Amino acid sequence: MPIYRPSGAQSVNPIQQSFLDSVRSGRVTLILSDEAIVNMALGSYARLIEGYADLAHYPMPDRGNLTRVAKFRQLHEQLPDRALKSDYLTWFKSFVYYTAQTAGAGADALAEAEAEVDDLTVSAFANRLGYPRLDRGAADPLLLIADLPVRTIITTSPTTFLEDALRRAGKSPRTELCRWHRELDGIESAIDATYRPSASEPLVYHLHGLDAYPDSLVLTEDDHLQFLVNVCQNQGNNAADRVHALVRQALFDDLILLGYSLSSWAFRGLYAGMIKTGGRQDDRGVVALQVVPDQNEKAYLDDYVRREARFDVFWGEAGQYITELQEKLKR
């Protein structure tokens, strides 16, 4: 298993040519975390969650743990599930507002966005304030991702910032969300019987919900546990499977995972509920995993590797990985 060293150190094994060939031919499924997308679109996922911890008066030291902060706020404020998720999305919009204000947005633009805040999703509210910026001249990582010839992108982000980038790249993405519980079954699907994901019309599948539907969010530890139970059931039964058949099929391709903490609920549910139980666990070519250098993460990954996982690992930032991948694809 090739291991990529932290930023500044030379990799012992470069990205393999066979993997690059898979990317070029569209035989790779990209999986992006909420953290990676927020970092690319708005600058700091850590500030988003720490701000929510402040709002919740969260007293514990793990202030960057969204699942625990959300559960604390739910119990402290006695919020039903839907109210909690709407509350988090409201904070998310407030974070976008303050991000734009700090960046020097004009008073008129801020006032116009604020007047519409209750009627807009997080993504639409961010668009009103010019986010994501999508500056091709600065080698924007979201645009670099959008330029990849991938057919299916799975994300645990509730925003549609990735779709914004894909449209800027001249593509026509289809946005779909995972029906991880039955109350979501009534939402109209963007996938019809004739649709097949392609590089020009890729599928963007929101595994942990979409900001337009607060009930769809996977937010607390309870949500993550229920999500894991539900997506593991009825696999292969298209009428009952909570994950669309096109997404199950995409897991047979090589995978690129960007922006996940290995100890997080998002990664655990994704790995245990989707990757480990779907696709070709024994003979899948590559699972390329980008991880920010951290001693705890390294120990956690080493444990996975010894027991069961087959990962190629890039120790560095998500933007750094995607930049290196694009540079190698151009050679």
Side-chain angles (χ1 to χ4, degrees), residues 55-57 59 69-79:
L55 182 69
H57 304 291
V69 172
K71 189 62 178 181
F72 175 85
R73 183 158 176 80
Q74 181 176 37
L75 295 174
H76 189 258
E77 299 293 333
Q78 298 184 354
L79 297 173

Side-chain angles (χ1 to χ4, degrees), residues 75-95:
L75 295 174
H76 189 258
E77 299 293 333
Q78 298 184 354
L79 297 173
D81 279 351
R82 193 178 197 284
L84 173 71
K85 293 170 183 180
S86 294
D87 172 78
Y88 172 69
L89 292 173
T90 298
W91 161 248
F92 203 148
K93 285 184 270 190
S94 299
F95 174 77

Side-chain angles (χ1 to χ4, degrees), residues 49 109 304 310:
I49 306 307
Y304 262 127
R310 299 173 59 198

